[in-house]
Amino acid sequence: MSSIPDFAELLAGSVQSAVHLEMRDAYFTNPRFEAWANGEHVDWGDRASWWRLYHQNIAEAVARGVTVRRVRIVSEPVTDYIAWEHYQTRANVESGELVRWLPRHRAWDLLLPGTDLWIFDGRLMRVHHFSGDGEWISKALCDDPGVIGQHAAAFERVWERAIPHEQYEVK
């Protein structure tokens, strides 16, 4: 495929499901993470201060019947970045996303994809490529049913084993 639609377009085209698998313990530099690390916290009562276009896109998809699920596979003890992600996941949940966490030591016997990914309606997969230090490199799109089926099956195995966000405590 020559051009890759942006995330909002892929989500808008989804009718049943969008699943996201994250497997890194840290990602690229993020000003919101840096602010949190410096002691700044979200005013959850002021939705306008934390609600982003991403959350709106998720809320709209969920409102039209799309189930959006995310699993994060994490090392324990978690990195500061993952602790921040756990803290800010409230925004994902409030937008309608279902989020789970799987400690890496509980995933040792699962065959996992080599990179983070999104799968839309089980028919289209967007993979994300990062450098070793978590900087964004590129994304790719896959529409091969066999490849997507393998990754979707891996996601489901992770999802079944993972801990719901409201029950997972960062360690």
Side-chain angles (χ1 to χ4, degrees), residues 21-27 70-86 89 99-108 110 112 116 158 162-163 165 168-171:
L21 179 62
E22 293 181 288
M23 298 186 295
R24 297 187 55 86
D25 288 319
Y27 290 88
R70 174 191 308 255
V71 176
R72 292 183 172 123
I73 299 176
V74 298
S75 298
E76 291 179 329
V78 300
T79 62
D80 289 345
Y81 195 94
I82 294 300
W84 169 73
E85 280 194 329
H86 187 270
T89 294
V99 181
R100 292 187 179 181
W101 303 81
L102 182 61
R104 199 171 305 283
H105 69 272
R106 291 183 50 191
W108 70 271
L110 299 175
L112 299 172
D116 291 10
V158 171
I163 302 163
H165 174 70
Y168 181 71
E169 296 180 25
V170 294
K171 297 175 182 173

Side-chain angles (χ1 to χ4, degrees), residues 129-151:
H129 302 289
F130 298 93
S131 66
D133 62 359
E135 292 297 323
W136 177 267
I137 295 176
S138 66
K139 60 188 174 198
L141 205 58
C142 174
D143 61 1
D144 180 313
V147 173
I148 295 169
Q150 290 174 332
H151 287 77

Side-chain angles (χ1 to χ4, degrees), residues 23-41:
M23 298 186 295
R24 297 187 55 86
D25 288 319
Y27 290 88
F28 48 89
T29 304
N30 184 316
R32 291 180 296 135
F33 164 67
E34 292 168 6
W36 176 83
N38 289 325
E40 294 179 32
H41 295 284

